[in-house]
Every structure is written in C-alpha cells, then in structure tokens.
Amino acid sequence: MPEIDLDALFIGHAYIDVTMLADEMPAGDEKMVARDYAVSFGGNAVTAGFACAKLGHDVHLLTTQARDWLGHMFAEMADCYGVRVHPRKVARSSLSFVLPNDGKRAILRARDDNYMQPFVRLDISSARVLHLDGHMADAAIHYARAAREGGVLVSIDGGAMRPHIEELFDFVDVAVVSKQLCNQMSFTEGEMLAWLKSKGCRVGAVTVGEKGTFWYGEDGAPQHLPSLHVPSERVIDTSGAGDVFHGAYCASYLDRPDAPWRAHFEFARAASAHKVQHLGNEAGLPTRADIARADEEFSAGAVTEAFV
C-alpha cells in the first residue's frame, strides 16, 4: 500500500462536460447554432476536487479513466490544477452534454462504469478530508472505513440514490444531500436531517436551491442558511454549483478545522454564487478573492426561511 502525502482524497466518477448555451434546442431534422460553449472536467466529486485544488490544497483524486482522447484531455486538466489522479481503468471516457436554460439545466450523459481493474489501495493516514459522491461504492466504503479508523473527516455529496449509499452514510461525518435524494427516500428536509443524525453524521445538510440550506451542526440544532441572491440576468449556468459548494467547504475546513460549520457553509455558499455566473465548470471555479466578492455583493439579499 503506497504512502502518499495529501490534504484530501476525492472519490467519484469522471466526465468530460460539453456545455452549450443556446436560445432553443433543435428537434427532428433541424440545425441550430449555439451562442457559446465550454469544455471542462465533470462529475460530482471530481469537480469538487478541482475546486478544492484551485483554493490551494493538495488534492488526490480516485476516479475512472480511459486510454482515449477524452481520457488524455482529462489527465491534462488534472495536471494543470496539480490534482494527482489515481485512475481506475474503464474502456471509454464518460461524456456529458449540459444545456443551461433559465436557471436550470438539462444533462444528457453517456457513462462507462464497468471497471476493468480493482481500485488502488492507498495509505491515507496523512489526509485530513475524504470526500465522496457515492459512485464507485466499493472504493468509497473501503476508504470511508479507513478514514473513520484514522480520524480523517469523511464528507459526502448525497446527490442521488446510488448502490450501497445508505451503508456509506454509517461512516460519514459531514453529509450534504440534495432535495432529489429526499424525494427518492420519501423524506421532507426535516426528516432527512433526522435520518442523517440517526446514521451518526455529526453535521447534516439538505441543499434546496434558491431556498438555501437546511442543516444542523454538532449541537444538533436545526438551522437555515439562506442562499445568496444572484440576479437572474447574471445566472448563466447552475450546473456544477453544488459540486463547487462541496469543494469549497472542504477547502474551508482544511484552512480552519476549528471554525464553526456555519462559516464553512457560508464560504461554500459564496463559491456557488460565483460559479452560477460562468459557463462550464472550469470557468466557474472561484479564487478566494472571487468568493469574498460574491459574499460582499450578494449577502444583503439573503433571506432566512422557517425550518421545514
């Protein structure tokens, strides 16, 4: 088992995202010309890892990789950001077409998750954060167990129901889940937070888009963090905003592990507000200055809602 020195290990499925901005979508035998496009890395934990790396941390990434042109492109992207990739071989790279539209986004994906080899075993005793998105369940559970035994903080992006994800929550310290997962499990936001507590998660949160984040900290008290109000005319691409949120709170925790979790989530909230103003994941990765600017500009419009 090779020893590595790292701040954080992120585990998830990698994509190449092609994001196209168009006024309307072609149908039948039509052709249309997009107003703009972006090509970037994609995937939940992958994008979070790139965001954390851009904020100055030593990030390692355990993810899928193919020996094709898209795989070479992904490897070069990781190298540009100093992200160390530990690949798990697949035959073909996964691809996403992302179509932003009026504050929402449609996504069409082609995914290869037929692994051609076991996941690599790493010594993560020097790590301080392990972040998961529920993909690659065998690797996720293995490393979550190791992190729990070694005192490494385990974070999860619970974006959707995935194989063995309920078992994975048994080893999670910080769980931030989506409204979609609540719906899939037939929970309200409040019921989801109660379930996360029952699984032993020290910090639990449900992100609900414009309604912000419903969450509890280590004292267990229910809280609400309102979203920042980015004017609709400045919202270009919401895809990846949640992933940047995860990467930013991981970075904030690495910066200040003793700070309250509200501070980490406020940092992440401003990072997401920056992301939605840019097309594609790479263009939307914020610097610390970008996060400070977004927080200063948009926090006045945040409105606290009653806890659900």
Side-chain angles (χ1 to χ4, degrees):
M1 183 181 296
E3 286 188 30
I4 54 174
D5 187 23
L6 72 165
D7 286 340
L9 176 65
F10 288 70
I11 301 176
H13 194 95
Y15 291 85
I16 293 295
D17 282 4
V18 180
T19 307
M20 303 193 77
L21 200 59
D23 295 321
E24 56 183 310
M25 293 298 108
D29 200 32
E30 295 178 328
K31 295 181 181 180
M32 302 288 181
V33 177
R35 289 189 283 119
D36 201 358
Y37 77 94
V39 179
S40 180
F41 45 80
N44 304 116
V46 168
T47 303
F50 274 81
C52 188
K54 175 128 187 210
L55 290 167
H57 291 286
D58 182 17
V59 168
H60 286 231
L61 179 61
L62 175 55
T63 192
T64 50
Q65 192 169 22
R67 295 187 65 182
D68 56 21
W69 289 112
L70 294 179
H72 294 315
M73 182 188 301
F74 181 83
E76 289 195 16
M77 291 174 177
D79 188 59
C80 286
Y81 284 86
V83 174
R84 169 78 182 276
V85 176
H86 302 278
R88 190 173 192 182
K89 188 178 179 182
V90 290
R92 301 173 69 194
S93 293
S94 296
L95 185 65
S96 290
F97 288 95
V98 184
L99 306 169
N101 180 29
D102 194 25
K104 297 181 173 59
R105 76 279 191 270
I107 301 176
L108 178 64
R109 286 178 169 160
R111 180 165 69 207
D112 183 356
D113 55 7
N114 295 312
Y115 311 124
M116 300 171 68
Q117 61 184 182
F119 61 89
V120 64
R121 263 66 168 181
L122 304 170
D123 178 358
I124 62 166
S125 56
S126 68
R128 292 186 286 148
V129 169
L130 170 68
H131 181 70
L132 314 165
D133 63 13
H135 287 294
M136 212 180 303
D138 55 350
I141 290 173
H142 168 84
Y143 280 103
R145 288 179 185 273
R148 174 59 60 87
E149 292 170 3
V152 178
L153 184 88
V154 181
S155 162
I156 191 169
D157 172 359
M161 184 62 70
R162 297 188 175 106
H164 305 289
I165 196 168
E166 293 182 60
E167 178 186 353
L168 191 54
F169 278 101
D170 290 330
F171 307 100
V172 169
D173 300 298
V174 179
V176 180
V177 309
S178 69
K179 179 64 175 175
Q180 180 182 352
L181 185 63
C182 292
N183 293 340
Q184 289 173 331
M185 296 181 70
S186 299
F187 286 159
T188 65
E189 291 94 329
E191 289 168 342
M192 174 59 81
L193 295 184
W195 183 79
L196 293 175
K197 285 182 187 176
S198 76
K199 299 292 278 184
C201 302
R202 299 188 344 239
V203 177
V206 180
T207 57
V208 196
E210 293 179 354
K211 291 186 176 181
T213 301
F214 296 95
W215 69 288
Y216 66 86
E218 292 189 336
D219 63 359
Q223 302 181 57
H224 176 247
L225 183 70
S227 61
L228 298 184
H229 178 66
V230 181
S232 59
E233 64 272 14
R234 292 176 62 177
V235 176
I236 295 173
D237 178 17
T238 59
S239 181
D243 306 328
V244 169
F245 183 91
H246 289 278
Y249 75 65
C250 287
S252 182
Y253 172 82
L254 290 166
D255 290 338
R256 300 179 296 155
D258 296 326
W261 271 92
R262 186 177 187 91
H264 300 321
F265 287 155
E266 286 175 345
F267 183 82
R269 174 182 66 172
S272 291
H274 173 83
K275 163 62 192 80
V276 300
Q277 300 175 74
H278 298 82
L279 188 67
N281 290 334
E282 183 172 17
L285 294 185
T287 64
R288 294 178 188 278
D290 293 327
I291 292 172
R293 248 189 320 270
D295 188 57
E296 180 179 4
E297 183 175 3
F298 302 124
S299 59
V303 178
T304 300
E305 298 196 7
F307 188 81
V308 178

